[in-house]
């Protein structure tokens, strides 16, 4: 299958470049959706359009059996492309800077490989092209639309420029962290910047909260339970000589542990409130749960690693760590056993920029291997049931 996929290098790269040149933001993936639909039609694979721009194709095997789900995400980012590539973004201010273009292309190549083998398939492979991953919303909507009905297992790959081309990382258990959001509103009392004793400075209280929040991870939580608390935005005050009466902090938390995740709002609120009070200000926390942690089923992850090793030898497995990045694949893996892995796509300096960077690019020679890994996980998953 790998030889066959490699002969289709220009097919998969061509698709990726078409997606790449026409990036669309979350929930706006209309052109992307149309291209996927056209490809599935050309492959004689029936599909449905779900949640506006999502596409769900089905390859029905000749033999009876359950449904295995392969998933790709479709959306791009508000990033201005700086690669100078001939197929660079034609949509100003938007870019496929996370590699979701490659995910769609790989899944279409996997579909092509599987469609040619439908006679041997004991069950159905459901091809999920999911919108709005970057907002952490698409997967949840797709689940609500019923895409997990009858599903026995799921698999997905995320390309990753932090790994050498063609290597994979598919851990047991935690693969991606939860990603939640918080806002802290600090209230003080405005006044003249020269007379701070007559007011309450919300900027100083906000700054103290930012610093005190750092003690959560360093002094309060177990070091064996990886957690991140980031305040990414701080807005307070209006002018250099006016005492700020409000400050607004916005941030995100990341962790793998479900219980800890649900404790974090209380911990943040305690620090924010008491720190503000100690400075005569007040603080209110607004905490919104985003994407849960993506937890791989150990058996599904082991199967995926075995398949990778059988294709490319033991050195295909990269020594790496789970990412504190959020991934809404989590919503599927909360309900069905499955795994998500990273596929290395860095072939050198030009393809080593971080994700979400304006110069992000990937080594397309890794894509046929990724497509085969997707296809083989589906086949093996169906055979095991
Ligand atoms: Ni991504």
């Amino acid at each position: 299958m790998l030889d066959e996929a490699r002969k289709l290098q220009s097919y998969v790269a061509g698709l990726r470049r078409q997606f790449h040149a026409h990036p669309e933001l979350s929930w706006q993936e209309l052109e992307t959706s149309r291209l996927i639909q056209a490809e599935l039609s050309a492959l004689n694979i029936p599909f449905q359009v779900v949640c506006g721009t999502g596409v769900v194709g089905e390859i029905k095997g000749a033999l009876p059996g359950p449904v295995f789900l392969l998933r790709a995400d479709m959306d791009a980012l508000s990033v201005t492309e700086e690669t100078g590539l001939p197929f660079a973004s034609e949509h100003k201010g938007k870019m496929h800077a996370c590699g979701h273009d490659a995910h769609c292309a790989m899944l279409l190549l996997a579909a092509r490989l599987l469609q040619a083998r439908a006679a041997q398939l004991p069950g159905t492979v459901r091809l999920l092209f999911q919108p709005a991953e970057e907002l952490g919303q698409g997967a949840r909507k797709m689940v609500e639309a019923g895409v997990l009905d009858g599903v026995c297992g799921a698999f997905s790959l995320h390309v990753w420029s932090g790994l050498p081309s063609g290597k994979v990382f598919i851990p047991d258990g935690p693969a991606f962290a939860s990603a939640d959001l918080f806002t802290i509103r600090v209230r003080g009392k405005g006044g003249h910047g020269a007379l701070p004793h007559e007011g309450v400075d919300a900027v100083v209280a906000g700054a103290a909260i930012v610093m005190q929040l750092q003690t959560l991870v360093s002094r309060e939580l177990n070091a064996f339970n990886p957690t991140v608390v980031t305040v990414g935005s701080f807005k307070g005050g209006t002018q250099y000589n006016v005492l700020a009466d409000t400050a607004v902090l916005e941030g995100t938390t990341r962790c793998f542990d479900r219980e800890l995740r649900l404790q974090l709002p209380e911990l943040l609120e305690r620090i924010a409130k008491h720190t503000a009070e100690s400075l005569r200000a007040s603080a209110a926390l607004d905490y919104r749960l985003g994407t849960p942690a993506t937890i791989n089923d150990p058996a599904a992850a082991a199967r995926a690693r075995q398949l990778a090793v059988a294709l490319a030898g033991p050195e295909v497995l990269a020594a790496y760590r789970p990412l504190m990045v959020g991934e809404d694949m989590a919503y599927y893996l909360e309900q069905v056993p499955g795994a998500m892995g990273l596929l290395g796509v860095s072939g050198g300096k030009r393809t080593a920029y971080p994700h979400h960077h304006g110069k992000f690019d990937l080594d397309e020679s890794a894509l046929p291997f990724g497509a085969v890994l997707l296809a083989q996980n589906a086949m093996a998953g169906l055979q095991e049931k």
Side-chain angles (χ1 to χ4, degrees):
M1 196 193 271
L2 190 53
D3 286 343
E4 187 184 336
R6 286 198 173 127
K7 286 189 190 122
L8 294 166
Q9 173 72 41
S10 61
Y11 170 78
V12 70
L15 284 170
R16 182 249 162 174
R17 292 174 184 200
Q18 280 189 71
F19 290 123
H20 191 87
H22 307 101
E24 296 169 297
L25 301 183
S26 306
W27 296 125
Q28 297 169 18
E29 307 92 341
L30 284 166
E31 244 182 295
T32 307
S33 182
R34 277 198 290 271
L35 176 55
I36 291 164
Q37 292 170 43
E39 268 318 301
L40 291 176
S41 295
L43 293 170
N44 272 320
I45 296 172
F47 60 85
Q48 279 186 298
V49 178
V50 179
C51 301
T53 52
V55 184
V56 181
E58 282 200 348
I59 301 172
K60 289 222 190 314
L63 309 164
V67 180
F68 194 94
L69 189 122
L70 294 175
R71 173 269 206 174
D73 42 11
M74 305 158 69
D75 52 338
L77 290 154
S78 298
V79 170
T80 299
E81 180 153 358
E82 302 165 41
T83 61
L85 289 165
F87 53 90
S89 170
E90 292 172 17
H91 300 168
K92 205 171 172 236
K94 299 175 193 170
M95 180 187 175
H96 268 295
C98 197
H100 299 186
D101 49 348
H103 299 167
C104 289
M106 281 195 297
L107 187 52
L108 286 167
L109 176 53
R112 183 165 169 172
L113 298 169
L114 286 165
Q115 177 72 339
R117 289 163 177 80
Q120 308 152 38
L121 278 183
T124 297
V125 179
R126 192 170 290 162
L127 309 157
L128 202 70
F129 296 88
Q130 176 215 303
E133 193 284 327
E134 295 292 356
L135 298 179
Q137 294 174 354
R140 208 175 60 199
K141 291 283 177 202
M142 294 292 267
V143 170
E144 283 166 16
V147 299
L148 291 181
D149 292 353
V151 169
C152 68
F155 186 70
S156 182
L157 283 172
H158 201 302
V159 295
W160 196 248
S161 66
L163 284 177
S165 202
K167 300 243 183 202
V168 293
F169 175 67
I170 311 163
D172 293 344
F176 296 88
S178 58
D180 299 330
L181 290 81
F182 64 86
T183 303
I184 297 171
R185 289 190 174 76
V186 184
R187 270 210 159 276
K189 188 178 154 208
H192 198 295
L195 306 168
H197 60 286
E198 289 183 1
V200 175
D201 189 344
V203 160
V204 166
I209 291 169
V210 173
M211 296 311 290
Q212 289 303 314
L213 286 177
Q214 306 312 309
T215 64
L216 251 183
V217 173
S218 66
R219 303 288 82 189
E220 187 165 345
L221 302 178
N222 189 326
F224 283 96
N225 209 341
T227 311
V228 170
V229 178
T230 290
V231 177
S233 160
F234 185 138
K235 296 193 180 95
T238 52
Q239 193 177 311
Y240 80 100
N241 57 357
V242 174
L243 215 54
D245 66 347
T246 59
V248 180
L249 322 182
E250 288 181 313
T252 183
T253 63
R254 309 293 166 109
C255 67
F256 297 113
D257 186 272
R258 203 189 181 113
E259 261 175 61
L260 170 61
R261 180 189 184 212
L262 299 177
Q263 281 168 12
L264 284 173
E266 202 184 311
L267 304 183
L268 263 73
E269 185 168 51
R270 191 198 75 225
I271 290 177
K273 277 196 161 164
H274 291 299
T275 303
E277 272 165 24
S278 76
L279 297 163
R280 298 178 294 138
S282 65
L285 174 83
D286 177 25
Y287 202 96
R288 280 150 292 157
L289 293 180
T291 311
T294 300
I295 310 292
N296 283 346
D297 173 60
R303 182 178 63 216
R305 289 194 300 269
Q306 277 160 20
L307 290 167
V309 168
L311 283 165
E315 61 284 353
V316 74
L317 302 179
Y320 207 58
R321 302 158 303 277
L323 293 173
M324 298 311 287
V325 171
E327 215 336 307
D328 76 358
M329 181 73 185
Y331 288 102
Y332 308 113
L333 299 188
E334 274 189 332
Q335 297 195 32
V336 298
M340 181 164 198
L342 296 175
L343 171 69
V345 287
S346 173
K349 216 175 157 191
R350 193 180 55 77
T351 48
Y353 285 96
H355 290 244
H356 298 200
H357 189 286
K359 287 188 175 167
F360 173 81
D361 189 19
L362 52 91
D363 175 15
E364 291 169 338
S365 74
L367 303 184
F369 173 66
V372 171
L373 204 52
L374 289 169
Q376 292 201 347
N377 271 277
M379 294 179 81
L382 289 177
Q383 267 146 18
E384 271 177 30
K385 293 294 156 179

